[in-house]
Amino acid sequence: MLKYTVALKQPAKELLKIKSEGNIMKIVAFGASTSSTSINKALASYAAHLIEGADVIVLDLNSYKVPLFSEDKEKEIGQADDAKTFLADIAQADALVISFAEHNGSYSAAYKNLFDWATRIERNVFANKPAVYLSTSPGPGGAQSVLAAARGSAQFFGADVQSSISVPNFYENFDLEAGAFKNQDIAEQINQAVSKL
């Protein structure tokens, strides 16, 4: 069980050290959801900020405006500009932290659509970056189905997944006000996961 908050109001107590000497690690994090109150975006942000001194960029999928993908639309407009921007934003990272929202056992429609546009430009979407894959949901399943799907296909899209964790019952296990996990075992799992980046 977890304790976590959408907006980090104070730094995590136990921050991890950057592995690279002299260089600042750049981490790109996002939740695969367009919800304004996305718990997956919150989880990704929390995890990414555990690396002390890292330059963390949290993407908002609402920033990428792409039409519903079809081959007909692709012939009409060519490559979607914001899909190119999404790929460029990922390419700037040294590592990725992604938390997947689950809609009816699969990816959110908005994420899948953006991802489909991106793969038509560059199949290697995640640019061989080391990544931590996460998922969470309000219920006991913790979005395990979508996390398994994402992890299973990661190798085909250039994601070097170092670890993955599903967090169940988000609102019960994460304290949004404090920005911390209630369950220290899960907190340690997240720490260990991001330490592999």
Side-chain angles (χ1 to χ4, degrees):
M1 301 196 174
L2 303 172
K3 178 184 180 185
Y4 174 72
T5 144
V6 172
L8 292 174
K9 297 186 176 179
Q10 49 188 320
K13 293 180 180 178
E14 296 181 8
L15 297 175
L16 303 169
K17 299 294 182 183
I18 295 179
K19 293 181 179 179
S20 58
E21 296 179 7
N23 296 322
I24 295 176
M25 177 182 276
K26 181 175 284 188
I27 299 176
V28 167
F30 66 89
S33 168
T34 52
S35 171
S36 62
T37 57
S38 171
I39 58 178
N40 280 281
K41 182 179 179 182
L43 180 58
S45 177
Y46 170 84
H49 281 95
L50 290 174
I51 301 179
E52 184 179 16
D55 180 10
V56 176
I57 300 169
V58 180
L59 305 181
D60 183 347
L61 293 196
N62 288 295
S63 299
Y64 306 99
K65 308 295 185 186
V66 294
L68 186 62
F69 178 80
S70 72
E71 289 188 357
D72 290 339
K73 180 57 72 172
E74 186 180 41
K75 288 174 183 176
E76 176 187 340
I77 70 169
Q79 298 175 338
D81 287 341
D82 277 359
K84 294 178 187 176
T85 302
F86 178 64
L87 288 167
D89 288 342
I90 288 172
Q92 70 180 316
D94 296 311
L96 303 169
V97 178
I98 306 169
S99 191
F100 294 91
E102 184 174 289
H103 291 187
N104 297 320
S106 188
Y107 300 104
S108 68
Y111 171 72
K112 183 61 165 59
N113 189 50
L114 175 61
F115 181 76
D116 286 346
W117 275 107
T119 62
R120 299 291 284 196
I121 300 167
E122 172 56 68
R123 180 80 171 177
N124 195 32
V125 173
F126 300 115
N128 300 315
K129 309 291 184 179
V132 169
Y133 275 13
L134 306 170
S135 68
T136 190
S137 71
Q144 292 180 51
S145 295
V146 71
L147 182 60
R151 186 168 179 106
S153 66
Q155 62 180 319
F156 304 113
F157 303 106
D160 181 11
V161 180
Q162 301 297 303
S163 59
S164 63
I165 298 173
S166 165
V167 177
N169 302 311
F170 181 81
Y171 293 110
E172 295 177 24
N173 295 316
F174 193 85
D175 185 338
L176 292 173
E177 289 298 319
F181 285 105
K182 297 173 185 175
N183 184 302
Q184 291 307 305
D185 289 339
I186 296 177
E188 180 58 26
Q189 289 178 41
I190 300 294
N191 272 309
Q192 289 299 320
V194 297
S195 73
K196 295 178 181 179
L197 292 175

